[in-house]
Amino acid sequence: MALGKFWDGCEYTDGVINYNQDAHRQRIVNWCDQTAGLSGAFDFTTKGILQEAVAKREFWRLIDAQGRPAGFLGMWPSRAFTFIDNHDTGSTLNHWPFPSQHLPVGYAYILTHPGTPTVFYDHFYQEQNGLRKAIMELVALRRKHLINARSKVKVCKAAADVYAATIDDTIAMKIGPGDWSPKAAGILLGGRTSKLAASGPGFAVWEPEEQ
């Protein structure tokens, strides 16, 4: 599959990103459709929504009106290449940077969700806030539990202070300062109780207890 970049502006009102970004992500879908589905695209919709959610503690933004993830990955996950920053948005150009203090939270979202996540080179070697350690642990969990571009997400909670979801009924995750855990929510993973698998500033991921 090819990969392309269709960078179109998100929808804003008075400088604030709109909750509904359906038109924005539909334009990315249309762009991929013009390649007969042979090309994926960077998920700028998810980036815009996610960085607004973490910066302003508005995690309710991460679920759409149909209960799906709010970005392009919620419409066509197998063609969505998720990212936190690239050479245009971050690095030296810094046109639209992800809030640096929330980078571990951003990676906790994209590395546990469907789509094809990408890790920015600059971030991979950044030790601040335990970022490199968090990325390594999250990538290992994704591989261990076979999370992939077509994995299924069930959003369990999307409130101002917390977003929580299960993916493929094999891992659970939460981002944000709010309190949530699969055990407290009465959720089993693959029919088993859960244990904490990774955590860091503003995020936690659980996996099934070993039998």
Side-chain angles (χ1 to χ4, degrees):
M1 182 189 298
L3 169 62
K5 180 168 69 174
F6 179 76
W7 188 357
D8 191 19
C10 290
E11 312 289 337
Y12 288 82
T13 300
D14 297 328
V16 178
I17 193 169
N18 295 345
Y19 165 71
N20 188 330
Q21 294 294 324
D22 286 352
H24 183 268
R25 58 183 177 168
Q26 184 62 52
R27 289 193 291 272
I28 304 177
V29 169
N30 295 345
W31 187 88
C32 291
D33 269 338
Q34 290 173 4
T35 72
L38 298 176
S39 178
F42 284 110
D43 190 349
F44 281 92
T45 320
T46 289
K47 173 178 168 57
I49 294 169
L50 182 58
Q51 64 188 37
E52 189 86 356
V54 302
K56 296 184 177 178
R57 197 175 288 188
E58 296 175 344
F59 292 93
W60 47 265
R61 291 183 176 277
L62 296 174
I63 185 172
D64 72 8
Q66 288 75 47
R68 305 171 299 181
F72 175 42
L73 73 87
M75 297 183 78
W76 202 354
S78 67
R79 298 299 182 271
F81 284 73
T82 52
F83 71 106
I84 297 301
D85 268 323
N86 61 27
H87 64 281
D88 288 321
T89 66
S91 193
T92 54
L93 293 177
N94 221 37
H95 290 313
W96 198 35
F98 199 91
S100 60
Q101 69 272 31
H102 298 300
L103 288 171
V105 176
Y107 279 106
Y109 181 87
I110 69 169
L111 289 171
T112 57
H113 276 58
T116 301
T118 62
V119 176
F120 188 37
Y121 183 87
D122 291 15
H123 295 163
F124 187 71
Y125 292 100
Q126 185 173 315
E127 302 290 349
Q128 186 178 359
N129 292 328
L131 181 58
R132 177 178 167 84
K133 178 177 180 289
I135 290 172
M136 296 286 284
E137 290 179 350
L138 291 163
V139 168
L141 282 169
R142 186 179 182 89
R143 289 175 171 171
K144 177 181 178 180
H145 294 289
L146 306 178
I147 306 302
N148 59 76
R150 291 181 169 85
S151 288
K152 303 300 181 185
V153 178
K154 180 181 179 183
V155 179
C156 302
K157 188 172 183 179
D161 63 347
V162 65
Y163 167 90
T166 60
I167 298 88
D168 285 347
D169 194 33
T170 188
I171 65 169
M173 60 79 68
K174 77 106 177 177
I175 56 175
D179 187 35
W180 186 90
S181 72
K183 188 171 293 186
I187 294 171
L188 298 177
L189 298 175
R192 288 180 274 169
T193 56
S194 58
K195 65 175 183 178
L196 186 66
S199 63
F203 78 89
V205 183
W206 295 263
E207 64 184 355
E209 290 270 11
E210 295 179 2
Q211 290 181 323

